[in-house]
Amino acid sequence: MPKQQNALRHSDIAALLDKVRKQAYGKYLLKVVLKKVRGFENQVLNFQFPVTAIVGPNGGGKTTFMGAAACAYKSIPPRRFFAKSGALDDGMADWSIEYEIIDREHTKNDVIRRTASFKQLKWSRDALDRTVVLFGVSRTVPASERTEMGRYASNSFTYLATSRANLTAAAASVISRILGKNVSGYSQIQIDTKGSITLLTGQTSTGVEYSEFHFGAGESSIIKMVLAIEALPENSLVLIEEIENGLHPVATRKMVEYLLDVAERKKLQAIFTTHSNDALSVLPEEAIWAAVKNSVFQGKLDIESLRAITGEIEKKLAIFVEDEFAKSWVEAAIRNTDRALIDQIEVHGMKGDGTAVKINKHHNLDPSSIVPSICYIDGDSQQATSSVDHVYRLPGSSPERYIYDSVLGKYSEFGGKLTVALLQPFDQASNIRISSTRK
């Protein structure tokens, strides 16, 4: 059964990470290497967590990596992501993708290595069997705008009662949590003989029924995705393009929480692309990859920071730091030095020292970057400083402790102002100091 909302704990995340480390799956895609695909060369993406997010700007290569992952398996034809259009795509010659895959039906102990390549005007691959379901961006097109649904938007539409089924209690519970509304009265109708076209029905709080033609696009896509995922066998692969499409930020986060739950329950692997910070908020840094300018980086990047990585800044300097606390510290130092400088500098918290160092180096090596960058790591970081790569260390062993000790050391100078700022009487300054030292 699906877990209740917010039931996934840090221990659950740790358990999923450990499960991948131990390769405790019947089927699992461990690694994709783009030897040469589009603008990518020798770029490696490791799937260290069963739910992986690929972020990046438009045209950055998110879908390229998703397509590469899909092509490891027979059920997804390469042309779905990498079609060739005559002489316009002659650059596809010698494209190659390498894989490391777990498939216990094929071999009990070893990792399987496979290659997909485009040679002599066609794809050649020794793909493996696995249930793969792909949810493309077209899933959020409203029913009224989908060509195959047009014939059912008429007064003459009828259906067989046997083709209609209510949502299961488990599926309705999941969908209700994601959408924030009760869907227990919803149903699904198979309306073509092959069963490939379905029509959802909804119900108002007063019991009035309505068809999918009156659903929001995000609502119908969530319902159909959950129904499809719940029907999958264990060890399947779920691919979702732009997971936030048509969804409220809260629904986006809850959809990712659902993927974590189903990864635990059904040993599923999921890969999705996104532009949303909300989609990343519940994932560990091992689960997040950024595709930017023909390179990939692992780490919990803030989507806004991608503007700096891609050169979309109108400042004179970019500064990369480990996290939001370091960002606030550096920005405060800049304002204190010269308030005019803050309008010429952008500071980006990168949610990790390794990520900050890698992004800074990539940014400065990128010939298209017109703004230079530097990096500040925390005093306790294991990363090395480098004047060549412009990596420097903030003072103190811990930013928070350093700031606290610095404030306490000069408390006599501005303790009164700080007390008033905390909405306390001025004469309570000494008590504020005593209280802070006790904590």
Side-chain angles (χ1 to χ4, degrees), residues 221-344:
S221 71
I222 285 295
I223 295 172
K224 291 187 175 182
M225 281 197 292
V226 170
L227 292 177
I229 291 170
E230 288 298 320
L232 291 173
E234 288 190 351
N235 292 296
S236 297
L237 174 61
V238 176
L239 305 172
I240 306 175
E241 293 184 282
E242 299 185 16
I243 194 170
E244 72 277 11
N245 262 20
L247 299 182
H248 184 277
V250 173
T252 299
R253 187 181 71 250
K254 291 184 180 299
M255 182 63 194
V256 178
E257 290 174 348
Y258 166 64
L259 292 178
L260 292 172
D261 168 47
V262 80
E264 183 182 40
R265 285 190 291 115
K266 304 184 71 169
K267 301 179 182 178
L268 298 190
Q269 184 176 8
I271 304 169
F272 65 84
T273 63
T274 186
H275 298 97
S276 168
N277 280 326
D278 299 285
L280 309 181
S281 61
V282 296
L283 295 176
E285 63 179 28
E286 292 90 344
I288 301 170
W289 290 81
V292 183
K293 290 188 175 181
N294 303 326
S295 298
V296 285
F297 305 92
Q298 186 180 30
K300 203 157 189 176
L301 289 166
D302 186 284
I303 300 299
E304 179 64 21
S305 68
L306 292 173
R307 293 177 56 248
I309 301 170
T310 57
E312 297 177 21
I313 52 179
E314 298 176 357
K315 309 282 182 154
K316 294 183 178 180
L317 177 68
I319 301 177
F320 299 106
V321 296
E322 289 191 28
D323 52 33
E324 290 302 309
F325 186 89
K327 176 184 176 182
S328 297
W329 181 8
V330 171
E331 287 178 334
I334 294 170
R335 281 193 296 269
N336 189 57
T337 301
D338 185 345
R339 286 185 175 275
L341 285 176
I342 199 66
D343 294 328
Q344 303 176 53

Side-chain angles (χ1 to χ4, degrees), residues 145-166:
E145 297 178 19
R146 286 157 45 195
T147 303
E148 74 276 15
M149 300 293 285
R151 61 188 294 188
Y152 307 111
S154 69
N155 290 329
S156 60
F157 170 66
T158 59
Y159 63 91
L160 296 174
T162 54
S163 66
R164 178 169 176 163
N166 292 330

